[in-house]
Amino acid sequence: MKKIAIILSGCGVFDGAEIHETVLTMLHIEQLGAQYECFAPNLNQHHVINHLNGETQQDSRNILIEAARIARGNIHDLATLNTSHFDALVVPGGFGVAKNLSDFAFSGANSTILDIFKAACQEFSQQNKPIAYLCIAPALIGHIHPQGTLTTIGNDPDTALAAEQLGAKHVDCAANDIVIDLQQKVICTPAYMLANSISEASEGIVKAITQLIDMA
């Protein structure tokens, strides 16, 4: 049975991992006959957002502890991820990708990326194992993969430009579709960058996970 690693960036669309995208990823992996295991960095997140009113809260939360909420406690420190134990990787979206795994939300084309996250993704790539990036996560492909690797964040021109300035090649894509770079074994779908419902997000995610497992 194929085993898929999932890297999470917290819990909640505005300051962590997008919960719908993460749960859909888990569901589709299981329904397609594979297993998954979750990881997150054991670091404090950039900030905490009140998801009811959108305001920044004056407290601190740990990315791993927050991500454990989605994983029902079955999650590990990203520092312990051994890529040789897995066949593929998925990075769900949510602003945590652009705030905790990187500072893309604030710096765009001048952003930096968390070293431990970059190293994990590059290890999968070096082992010729496929990676699926969802939602905003594909914006970081230029930080991780060779110049010209295909990416998509849907069709937002400013975000697409920043992704291209980091070195990726952007392809417009509908929420229910995927973009595949066969050479690099990279799969992307816009998910909630464009999706107007959980059903629409699911259409693209199931295609991405199907392709990921087929490539693994």
Side-chain angles (χ1 to χ4, degrees):
M1 182 179 288
K2 292 175 181 175
K3 197 168 181 181
I4 315 298
I6 304 173
I7 296 179
L8 302 181
S9 57
C11 179
V13 59
F14 299 125
D15 58 12
E18 215 294 323
I19 296 171
H20 293 180
E21 292 172 3
T22 303
V23 173
L24 287 168
T25 295
M26 295 170 174
L27 176 65
H28 294 315
I29 288 172
E30 188 175 281
Q31 288 182 334
L32 289 164
Q35 295 177 326
Y36 64 82
E37 198 166 323
C38 296
F39 297 85
N42 188 12
L43 300 166
N44 283 342
Q45 59 190 57
H46 173 76
H47 61 190
V48 178
I49 299 294
N50 181 325
H51 279 59
L52 187 61
N53 60 22
E55 295 177 358
T56 302
Q57 296 184 184
Q58 299 305 311
D59 61 326
S60 178
R61 296 189 187 182
N62 177 280
I63 301 167
L64 177 59
I65 292 171
E66 288 300 294
R69 293 174 179 271
I70 311 178
R72 295 173 60 86
N74 187 15
I75 193 167
H76 308 283
D77 187 337
L78 181 55
T80 69
L81 173 57
N82 185 338
T83 56
S84 65
H85 293 169
F86 296 89
D87 301 294
L89 171 67
V90 186
V91 184
F95 273 107
V97 173
K99 294 177 177 179
N100 302 331
L101 303 185
S102 72
D103 61 357
F104 184 85
F106 314 108
S107 302
N110 297 314
S111 60
T112 58
I113 186 171
L114 189 65
D115 287 340
I116 193 172
F117 170 63
K118 180 178 180 178
C121 294
Q122 288 186 333
E123 280 184 27
F124 274 95
S125 187
Q126 288 158 5
Q127 293 173 18
N128 201 33
K129 295 174 179 177
I131 306 176
Y133 297 92
L134 316 181
C135 191
I136 191 63
L140 303 186
I141 281 173
H143 277 298
I144 298 164
H145 297 276
Q147 187 162 356
T149 301
L150 298 183
T151 189
T152 190
I153 47 77
N155 57 19
D156 178 73
D158 292 338
T159 311
L161 177 60
E164 290 205 321
Q165 288 173 333
L166 285 170
K169 180 177 174 55
H170 187 267
V171 180
D172 283 358
C173 181
N176 62 355
D177 208 352
I178 60 175
V179 168
I180 308 167
D181 189 310
L182 290 172
Q183 184 174 358
Q184 299 301 327
K185 290 194 170 182
V186 167
I187 305 146
C188 306
T189 188
Y192 275 109
M193 289 295 290
L194 287 181
N196 294 309
S197 68
I198 191 170
S199 297
E200 192 176 5
S202 181
E203 287 184 59
I205 292 171
V206 71
K207 288 179 182 178
I209 300 304
T210 300
Q211 183 68 43
L212 183 82
I213 292 172
D214 286 347
M215 278 185 172

